[in-house]
Every structure is written in C-alpha cells, then in structure tokens.
Amino acid sequence: MLRVATISMKRCNGINQAEHNARKEFLCLIVESPDAPDLIVCASDYFSTEAKLIEFCERRKELDNRSTYIVTTVGNSKKGKKDKKGESEKYPGLDYIYVIFPDGSFEKLAQQFISTRDNYKFGEEDFIKNLENRRFELPNGDQKFSCSVLSCGEINAFHGRENVVALHSATGNLFDDVDIILNPTHDRMSNDGAVDAKRRHLSQVIDGRHRCYISVSNWEVCSKSQKKDASTLHTIYSSNFDEAYGYRNETVERQFIDGFEDLFEYRRSTVSFE
C-alpha cells in the first residue's frame, strides 16, 4: 500500500495566497507527523522560486523522518523577460516540477511546455526532448515504483474521449511504461468529460501492472466559483479501484491542521498495486 498526501492552496487572481513560511511549515508538519505519508504531491506554484525550495530542502535535512518523497512545483513568474543571453523566456508563467528525496536532496524533472490543447504544437518539440528526464523511482517496502510527471495542461499531450491516444508515440511509450503519473495543476481543469477520460487512460492496467494517476489543483476564489471541498480538486485514479466509481478514489480523506485550514487543502489516501 502506498500512502499518498495531496496539498493545494487558496488562489486569487492567479496568485497562491499562503506566504512562503506557511508553505514551508505546513510541509514540515506533515513530514514530521507520526504517520508521515510515503508520497506528498503539491499543486502548481507551491514554491515561488527555486531559492525558496532550497530553503525548505535545507530544513528537510534536519527533520527526523527520512522516508517521504515530495513532488512539488516552482512557479515561473517571468512574463517574457530577457534571460542572460538577451532572449525572451519561451514559456513564461509555466511551472517547473521537482522531486525532493527523503534526505533533502532534490532534482528538477521538467518545465511545463504545454498549457492548452491549442498550444500543444508550440511546445511539443521541447516536451518530447525532455521526456526521459521526467522519470524517478519511488521505493515502497519491497516494491519500487517508476514515476513520471505532467505539469498542469501537459495532459493535453493526450487526445480523445472515447479512445484516448498520445499525440506522439514517444509520449505514449514513456507514460505506458511507468506505474505512477503525477499531475499538479494551477486550478481545476475544464471539460470534465475529456479530462476524466484521459485520467482513466493514464491509470489503466498495462501488462498486468496496476497503475495510478494523481492530480492536485489549487482553488481560485477571486475570479472563478471554485470550492476547496470539491471532490475533483484532488483526484486519484487507479486501475485497482472499483470500476463502478470510474476508477476514481472516492475514499480520499480530508485532513486539517490547526491554523492552516483557510489556506491549504490537505487530503490523504492509500493506493494498492497488488
């Protein structure tokens, strides 16, 4: 059994509302808890800069727990500014995804290259080039799971509703080969039917292997009508869940930590791969 925690934040006009110290402290409290999860997945833009992520990682090294893996994000606030070479940022405002290992070390897995179905072609080349960098392994008892990530709208690298397919063979090959797919998003995606079909596709059994897809979204309170208790704010799809529920986990439990209820949505679940 894999114990999974998912975390998202209150968001207003595209800006996550929790201060950095609150984000850092909230993660530390979960990692230090007696029943610390095996995996924590954070929604988009969890850390505002890589320096803030590094600050958390230094604190992480001081904590007793040495088993939790964290998949988290760093927001890219560049709005077309020039880089050191004088060239404009190609993907302004799109997140980077990192994995933080139990010892406090970390690895950058990917930048987000695709935000919508309409701009898929614009980011496809860079997305395909980066695919192999998106892998990491997650030990869990006697098992070892292969994992990969999609950042927010990169799920649009898959198309269809009745018959979902990868838009490039390399994409299909990589994501068919992994056990767990992690998809932090900025807020809940539209077109529920198509998104649901893609999530089912990404969590289907392949060659007898049970697989899992996890998405985590922030909730936007200033310009959209979104609620932090919405069942689809955090979703876990697994080929091991009851088909009657569409493979979506209906047993995710909401968690509360005193003093943080207004800013964070924190949920826990367990997933079996047997």
Side-chain angles (χ1 to χ4, degrees):
M1 302 292 287
L2 184 71
R3 299 171 300 167
V4 179
T6 49
I7 303 171
S8 62
M9 279 187 280
K10 177 180 179 181
R11 190 170 173 84
C12 183
N13 293 325
I15 300 174
N16 290 356
Q17 296 298 290
E19 296 293 334
H20 168 65
N21 285 342
R23 304 181 197 193
K24 180 176 66 173
E25 187 63 27
F26 194 74
L27 267 182
C28 288
L29 287 170
I30 295 173
V31 168
E32 288 185 299
S33 64
D35 63 340
D38 304 306
L39 172 67
I40 299 173
V41 188
C42 303
S44 295
D45 199 17
Y46 194 86
F47 292 104
S48 57
T49 65
E50 189 178 80
K52 299 294 187 183
L53 178 140
I54 292 172
E55 182 182 324
F56 167 77
C57 289
E58 291 302 312
R59 169 75 183 278
R60 175 79 176 86
K61 293 175 182 178
E62 301 172 358
L63 305 182
D64 291 335
N65 180 283
R66 284 288 189 263
S67 61
T68 301
Y69 283 68
I70 303 171
V71 171
T72 190
T73 50
V74 170
N76 176 3
S77 61
K78 294 179 181 179
K79 304 297 182 182
K81 294 180 180 178
K82 302 294 185 179
D83 62 16
K84 292 180 179 179
K85 296 180 180 179
E87 298 175 349
S88 294
E89 172 70 32
K90 188 176 181 181
Y91 303 99
L94 302 185
D95 280 11
Y96 298 87
I97 304 184
Y98 292 72
V99 56
I100 301 174
F101 300 103
D103 64 358
S105 63
F106 64 90
E107 181 180 343
K108 183 190 292 185
L109 299 172
Q111 180 181 4
Q112 180 183 350
F113 295 117
I114 302 161
S115 57
T116 66
R117 178 181 173 182
D118 290 340
N119 71 8
Y120 168 77
K121 282 296 183 183
F122 177 75
E124 181 186 57
E125 181 179 358
D126 289 326
F127 179 78
I128 299 302
K129 287 180 180 178
N130 177 256
L131 279 175
E132 286 299 326
N133 297 333
R134 293 170 179 252
R135 291 179 184 261
F136 70 96
E137 289 190 336
L138 175 63
N140 181 243
D142 295 332
Q143 296 176 295
K144 184 175 289 187
F145 301 115
S146 57
C147 305
S148 190
V149 296
L150 293 166
S151 180
C152 201
E154 288 183 334
I155 197 171
N156 287 295
F158 297 84
H159 176 66
R161 184 180 296 217
E162 298 300 323
N163 180 34
V164 177
V165 296
L167 291 174
H168 193 286
S169 60
T171 302
N173 291 340
L174 179 127
F175 287 100
D176 283 353
D177 191 48
V178 299
D179 303 310
I180 303 173
I181 297 168
L182 310 163
N183 188 191
T185 79
H186 292 88
D187 49 30
R188 283 193 297 165
M189 299 182 189
S190 58
N191 199 345
D192 291 344
V195 171
D196 178 72
K198 293 173 184 179
R199 289 170 172 172
R200 289 182 186 227
H201 173 79
L202 292 169
S203 58
Q204 66 184 331
V205 173
I206 294 181
D207 297 331
R209 294 182 296 112
H210 282 295
R211 300 165 70 242
C212 177
Y213 164 95
I214 302 170
S215 71
V216 192
S217 305
N218 298 305
W219 73 99
E220 175 67 60
V221 298
C222 294
S223 62
K224 298 179 181 178
S225 178
Q226 296 194 31
K227 297 181 179 180
K228 71 191 297 280
D229 61 354
S231 63
T232 55
L233 193 71
H234 300 187
T235 58
I236 299 178
Y237 284 63
S238 170
S239 55
N240 224 351
F241 295 157
D242 191 337
E243 185 176 359
Y245 292 104
Y247 302 109
R248 194 176 79 204
N249 190 353
E250 300 291 345
T251 62
V252 174
E253 297 181 359
R254 299 183 70 197
Q255 309 289 309
F256 301 94
I257 296 179
D258 289 344
F260 294 96
E261 299 93 333
D262 182 55
L263 290 172
F264 297 94
E265 178 66 9
Y266 168 32
R267 303 182 186 183
R268 293 281 297 261
S269 187
T270 57
V271 180
S272 173
F273 291 81
E274 298 179 353

